Amino acid sequence: MRTARLLTTAALAVASAGLLAPPAALAAGGGLEVFPSTVTPGTTVTVNTTACGSDGTATGDASAVGAGAFTLAPSTHEENAIGQFKVPPSAQPGTYEIVAKCSGSGSGGKEVAGDLVVTITSTAAAREQQLTPKGHVKTGVGGALGPDPVQTAAGVAALAVAAAGGTWLLHRRARGDRI
């Protein structure tokens, strides 16, 4: 029984490692890196890959987002082909696949892809909005001097009635009267 449990655990560990490992194509030749990966319409996007080898070039295709074809050329970084395209102002929000096909010697016409997310608002504007809160905190408790004077007056009156009632009850108890 114990041996079977150990073998089952070992088999599950091997299967988990196999599922978490990167695909062979990405591990061996790299994928297509898209920077920035989240953009607004009108932004210039840079893509690069190491899949095409040291002297390889590639033809990129960003027609999914409406930008068309672009060229990736060898860069100063070792075995890196790099290119740029501009997301059209008419691009709709969504996730788009950007593809590049290697054309250099020894690349074998390898094709790599990466995802580009188009949003309406930039992530910098969203971060700025989160850092500068405005308005009252709506926790349900409220403060003593809220924005509504009628509610403030009603709260003060309720506290006064409670204080007077408590004082009266304590006075009766001190005299020995039963409540």
Side-chain angles (χ1 to χ4, degrees):
M1 179 70 168
R2 183 178 173 104
T3 305
R5 194 175 293 161
L6 287 173
L7 289 175
T8 303
T9 304
L12 286 173
V14 170
S16 297
L19 290 174
L20 295 176
L26 290 179
L32 187 68
E33 295 179 14
V34 180
F35 183 78
S37 61
T38 302
V39 297
T40 56
T43 304
T44 299
V45 177
T46 302
V47 296
N48 62 36
T49 185
T50 57
C52 299
S54 60
D55 61 343
T57 59
T59 302
D61 181 15
S63 59
V65 74
F70 60 97
T71 303
L72 284 85
S75 74
T76 57
H77 297 292
E78 188 176 322
E79 296 189 13
N80 219 4
I82 190 167
Q84 290 185 327
F85 66 91
K86 186 173 182 178
V87 177
S90 61
Q92 296 298 312
T95 302
Y96 298 93
E97 184 178 54
I98 309 302
V99 180
K101 187 172 184 177
C102 297
S103 56
S105 63
S107 67
K110 189 182 295 184
E111 194 171 286
V112 290
D115 286 339
L116 174 70
V117 178
V118 178
T119 62
I120 301 264
T121 59
S122 70
T123 53
R127 275 196 304 265
E128 186 177 315
Q129 272 184 336
Q130 291 174 354
L131 295 177
T132 55
K134 295 178 181 146
H136 297 283
V137 179
K138 298 192 177 2
T139 61
V141 177
L145 300 174
D148 188 6
V150 174
Q151 288 181 350
T152 303
V156 169
L159 286 174
V161 168
T167 304
W168 178 70
L169 287 173
L170 286 176
H171 184 325
R172 281 188 64 180
R173 186 170 188 197
R175 280 193 338 204
D177 296 341
R178 291 206 169 178
I179 300 177

